[in-house]
């Protein structure tokens, strides 16, 4: 902490933020659009073209609590020439409508440049929600937002992970919406929103809302994950072994982890408080960032690790995840580099296996955020863990699954392993369940999500990375099997889908929250594709790879043999029916023609116009 | 022989195009009646006809040529399609032996529904695709001779023998009609009278001719 603080101070005068982390804490006084004076509210965070959405706080009585952060929004505050739009934070609160367009609840706009000038690096404040421009303003309540300015130069890899998570998150959201947000939407959104640090914060937030039984655990986990520093501390406290593993893995990881731990420990209190990962974590992060980018990345990675470590809290889980990540990373070594990004990627790949099932779930559930966190965490841990214990990974994943929608997760994994259809279904279930799970318990959700994410990620990784694919699958399977017995939280870090990972690796930016804008769609597509791909991969990796999401064939690639046969039979029946109809029509027309030929044959004379119309190639 | 005005004709001859689907019946018709050829491979649906008047010696003959889909199955229109026809072009695709192999089946259907005196020409179409020929000219010619059919190979695409094929059939029909007319003087008057009702496809003239034949 002290280091971070000093670092933050050091840069002070010259300090110019490159990113802004927005944490949507809660709202109050919202209009009710739903039944019984409730509303399923969620917030859209937008800076420039970057757009993130929180989870849906279901049936909130006008005062939803999200505590989800949009990580690494690039406001371009540094450049004075930046357009106002790029420096304006737009917070839109919407009611998720089951049918039709979501309903507008209110909007607040914050001039980030002005805020930065006046408030410094961090500001938590209530903003009044207003009507849309040009419409009569009325009482729409307020929204509390924590805005933290950050500087990221080195943490691209970390950010990348978060971004990947985000991408997944959007999908999850979509899935959630589709599936129905029976459970806490917040969890879903959280997952979607929370890439790494964000995810942790989200999970914390979600956990409270979702959690009932395992809230404390979940919270701790989340807090750990959420609060990069705090999570570390928690993870440290919870799982010292896991940390050592991480440390062992890589020097960079170790540093980051150690740093995280240190930070976490001090911040751990904050973590304990949970929800405020942004607050506690943010300052730390900021300071860390200021001090050294590597630290930041490390912190983030650590945080991720921490979140994973949370998984690790279970103990084996962490190890499992890490090892997988490591193995994956190793497999994907070509793409991945020793750098944190590389780790993340590797983790992602490894996680991708898990993710195969997870991706959907993550987006839907708050767990998604956790997954993201896991991912972010996993990268660092993965390196270390992978080094230490590949075998552990499976357990971790299994645990995670068990905790939450273990069944769904497992099923998803199994399906992946066994059949594409099954995998798809499982993934869908997992997604749904993941959402539900998220709603149920932050911990379980996070675990499940992680587990899910892991499988999906694995699958995706498998699909994307040839070499990786095989290993990831194996890992996933193992993890599933192990997970079932263990029942611990998903040690598997919710690795972003391979695609997501790749994208993250490519893009330095972090997208903790679900991106809704252009970037989000891309990521979403990628994630969707990965999700489908993952499931397919489970069934047939090769098959999956062959079909792109846009390819109409992809719709059938996931079907089982029996399903395809049924489909063919149905089609045949339809065709025979239509043939019969055609025959009847022909007969009818023939009879008409006979009458025409006998009574007014001139009607059948080829008309001049028709002749012209038919003219194709005069010779 | 040449083109005459629509209204100035002494005889109306109904000629039908038959043969497997895709052999080029419709393009033969369009080439003969409008000098058009379509590369559009759409299958003919329904029934339609086109006319062209030609001079045979001193007589103007209006050829009323019917075209329909070369469907295998029996159709309600089959009977009406052949009714009153005094000529028929049984078309096959000389690049597809299958279309030639089923000629006998088409002949049977023709004789089942048309007058026994109908003039029939076997037409091997698509002679422009000589490289892809599957039906030797002599084989088809022999078959035609053995079955009392006229025979020509045509190309609707490059117009080879299209006019000759139709005119040969019309001439043959006209010869039969003339023979009949000589036998019965009244038929001439009937034919002239029927010419005025030119628009009607199935004039008494043809029937008279056929009947007389």
């Amino acid at each position: 902490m002290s280091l971070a603080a000093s670092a933050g101070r050091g840069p002070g005068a010259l300090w110019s933020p490159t990113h802004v982390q927005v944490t949507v804490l809660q709202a109050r006084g919202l209009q009710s659009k739903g039944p019984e004076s409730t509303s399923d509210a969620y917030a859209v965070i937008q800076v420039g073209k970057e757009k993130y959405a929180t989870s849906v706080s279901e049936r909130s009585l006008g005062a939803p609590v999200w505590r989800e952060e949009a990580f690494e929004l690039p406001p371009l505050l540094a450049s004075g020439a930046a357009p106002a739009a790029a420096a304006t934070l737009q917070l839109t609160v919407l009611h998720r409508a089951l049918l039709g367009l979501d309903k507008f609840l209110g909007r607040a706009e914050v001039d980030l440049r002005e805020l930065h000038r006046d408030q410094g690096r961090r500001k938590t404040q209530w903003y009044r929600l207003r009507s849309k421009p040009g419409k009569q303003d009325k009482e729409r309540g307020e929204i509390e937002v924590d805005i933290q300015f950050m500087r990221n130069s080195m943490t691209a890899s970390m950010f990348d992970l978060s971004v990947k998570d985000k991408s997944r998150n959007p999908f999850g959201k979509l899935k959630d919406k589709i599936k129905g947000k029976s459970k806490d939407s917040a969890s879903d959104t959280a997952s979607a929103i929370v890439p790494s640090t964000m995810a942790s914060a989200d999970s914390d937030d979600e956990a409270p809302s979702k959690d009932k039984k395992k809230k404390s655990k979940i919270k701790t986990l989340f807090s750990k994950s959420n609060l990069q520093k705090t999570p570390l501390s928690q993870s440290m406290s919870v799982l010292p072994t896991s940390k050592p593993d991480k440390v062992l893995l890589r020097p960079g990881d170790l540093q980051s982890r150690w740093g995280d731990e240190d930070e976490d420990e001090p911040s751990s209190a904050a973590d304990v408080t949970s929800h405020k990962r942004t607050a506690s974590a943010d300052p730390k992060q900021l300071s860390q960032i200021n001090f050294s980018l590597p630290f930041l990345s490390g912190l983030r990675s650590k945080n991720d690790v921490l979140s994973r470590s949370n998984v690790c809290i279970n103990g084996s889980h962490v190890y499992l995840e890490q090892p997988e990540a490591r193995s994956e990373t190793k497999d994907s070594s070509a793409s991945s580099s020793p750098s944190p990004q590389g780790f993340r990627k590797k983790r992602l790949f490894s996680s991708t296996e898990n993710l195969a099932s997870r991706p959907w779930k993550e987006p839907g559930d708050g767990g998604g955020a956790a997954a993201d966190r896991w991912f972010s965490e996993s990268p660092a841990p993965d390196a270390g863990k992978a080094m230490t214990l590949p075998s552990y990974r499976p357990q971790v994943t299994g645990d995670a699954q068990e905790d939450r929608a273990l069944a769904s997760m497992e099923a998803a994994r199994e399906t992946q392993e066994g059949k594409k259809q099954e995998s798809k279904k499982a993934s869908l279930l997992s997604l749904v369940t993941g959402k539900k799970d998220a709603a149920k318990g932050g911990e379980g959700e996070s675990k499940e999500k992680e587990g899910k994410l892991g499988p999906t990620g694995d699958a995706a990784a498998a699909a994307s990375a040839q070499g990786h694919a095989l290993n990831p699958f194996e890992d996933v399977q193992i993890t599933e099997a192990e997970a079932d017995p263990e029942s611990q939280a998903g040690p598997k870090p919710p690795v972003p889908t391979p695609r997501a990972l790749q994208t993250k690796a490519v893009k330095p930016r972090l997208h903790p929250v679900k991106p809704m804008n252009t970037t989000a769609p891309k990521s979403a597509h990628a994630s969707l594709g990965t999700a489908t791909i993952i499931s397919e991969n489970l069934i047939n990796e090769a098959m999956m790879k062959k079909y792109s999401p846009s390819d109409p064939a992809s719709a059938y690639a996931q079907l089982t043999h029996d399903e395809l046969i049924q489909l063919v039979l149905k089609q045949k029946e339809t065709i025979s029916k239509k043939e019969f109809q055609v025959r009847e029509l022909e007969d009818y027309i023939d009879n008409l023609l006979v009458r025409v030929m006998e009574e007014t044959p001139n009607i059948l004379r080829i008309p001049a116009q028709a002749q012209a119309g038919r003219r194709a190639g005069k010779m | 022989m040449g083109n005459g005005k629509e209204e100035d004709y002494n005889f109306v001859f109904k000629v039908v195009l038959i043969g497997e689907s895709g052999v080029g019946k419709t393009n033969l018709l369009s080439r003969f009646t409008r000098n058009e050829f379509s590369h559009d491979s759409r299958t003919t649906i329904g029934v339609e006809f086109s006319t062209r008047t030609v001079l045979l010696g001193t007589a103007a003959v209006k050829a009323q040529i019917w075209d329909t889909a070369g469907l295998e199955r029996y159709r309600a229109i089959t009977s009406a399609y052949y009714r009153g026809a005094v000529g028929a072009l049984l078309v096959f695709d000389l690049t597809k032996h299958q279309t030639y192999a089923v000629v006998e089946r088409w002949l049977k259907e023709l004789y089942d529904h048309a007058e026994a005196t109908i003039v029939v020409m076997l037409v091997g179409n698509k002679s422009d695709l000589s490289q892809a020929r599957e039906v030797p000219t002599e084989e088809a010619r022999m078959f035609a001779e053995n079955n009392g059919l006229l025979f020509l190979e045509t190309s609707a695409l490059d117009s080879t023998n299209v006019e000759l094929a139709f005119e040969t059939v019309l001439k043959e029909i006209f010869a039969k009609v003339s023979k009949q007319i000589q036998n019965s003087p009244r038929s001439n008057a009937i034919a002239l009278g029927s010419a005025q009702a030119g628009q009607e496809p199935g004039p008494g003239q043809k029937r008279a001719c056929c009947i007389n034949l």
Side-chain angles (χ1 to χ4, degrees), chain A residues 408-619:
Chain A
S408 64
M409 294 296 289
E410 294 176 356
R413 294 178 183 176
E414 293 176 357
T415 56
Q416 291 175 354
E417 295 173 354
K419 299 177 181 180
K420 293 178 180 179
Q421 294 177 347
E422 291 179 358
S423 63
K424 292 180 178 179
K425 294 178 180 178
S427 63
L428 293 173
L429 293 172
S430 65
L431 292 171
V432 177
T433 57
K435 295 177 179 179
K436 295 177 179 178
D437 294 345
K440 292 177 179 177
E443 294 176 356
E445 291 175 354
S446 64
K447 292 178 181 179
E448 293 176 354
K449 291 177 181 178
E450 292 172 353
K452 295 177 180 178
L453 293 172
T456 56
D458 294 346
S464 64
Q466 302 168 349
H468 298 291
L470 295 175
N471 294 336
F473 283 99
E474 294 176 356
D475 293 348
V476 174
Q477 294 176 354
I478 294 169
T479 55
E480 291 176 355
E482 293 177 359
D484 294 343
E486 291 179 0
S487 78
Q488 292 179 348
K492 295 179 181 178
V495 181
T497 60
R499 295 181 181 176
L501 294 171
Q502 293 176 356
T503 57
K504 291 179 177 179
V506 175
K507 296 179 180 179
R509 298 177 183 176
L510 296 174
H511 299 280
V513 183
K514 311 167 184 177
M516 297 182 65
N517 57 351
T518 55
T519 58
K522 294 176 182 177
S523 62
H525 289 293
S527 63
L528 290 173
T530 54
T532 56
I533 291 172
I534 292 165
S535 61
E536 291 177 356
N537 287 339
L538 296 173
I539 301 167
N540 293 331
E541 294 177 358
M543 295 295 289
M544 293 299 290
K545 293 177 180 176
K546 289 180 181 179
Y547 302 103
S548 67
S550 61
D551 188 345
S554 65
Y556 304 99
Q558 301 177 351
L559 296 179
T560 63
H561 183 66
D562 289 344
E563 287 177 338
L564 286 171
I565 289 176
Q566 286 183 343
L567 193 63
V568 170
L569 291 176
K570 275 188 180 179
Q571 300 279 19
K572 268 193 170 184
E573 189 179 351
T574 304
I575 289 174
S576 64
K577 280 184 182 175
K578 291 198 172 177
E579 281 181 343
F580 180 76
Q581 288 179 327
V582 169
R583 178 61 61 89
E584 295 227 306
L585 280 173
E586 286 178 354
D587 291 343
Y588 176 72
I589 291 171
D590 272 9
N591 287 325
L592 284 178
L593 276 173
V594 170
R595 291 165 60 183
V596 170
M597 290 170 76
E598 292 176 345
E599 297 177 17
T600 55
N602 277 338
I603 292 176
L604 301 176
R605 187 169 185 163
I606 299 172
Q609 293 177 351
Q611 294 176 9
R614 293 181 181 179
R615 204 172 294 156
K618 266 195 177 180
M619 298 292 292

Side-chain angles (χ1 to χ4, degrees), chain A residues 582-583 586-587 589-591 593-594 597-598 600-607 611-619, chain B residues 6 29 31 34-39 46-51 62 66 73 75-77 80-81 83 157 199-201:
Chain A
V582 169
R583 178 61 61 89
E586 286 178 354
D587 291 343
I589 291 171
D590 272 9
N591 287 325
L593 276 173
V594 170
M597 290 170 76
E598 292 176 345
T600 55
N602 277 338
I603 292 176
L604 301 176
R605 187 169 185 163
I606 299 172
Q611 294 176 9
R614 293 181 181 179
R615 204 172 294 156
K618 266 195 177 180
M619 298 292 292
Chain B
E6 284 284 320
L29 174 62
R31 176 62 76 189
R34 307 188 298 276
N35 198 27
E36 290 174 5
F37 181 88
S38 172
H39 290 276
V47 180
E48 55 194 17
F49 73 92
S50 198
T51 61
K62 180 173 181 177
W66 289 76
R73 79 183 183 94
R75 299 171 64 186
I77 61 156
Y81 185 71
R83 187 179 305 142
L157 189 145
Q199 294 182 347
E200 291 192 9

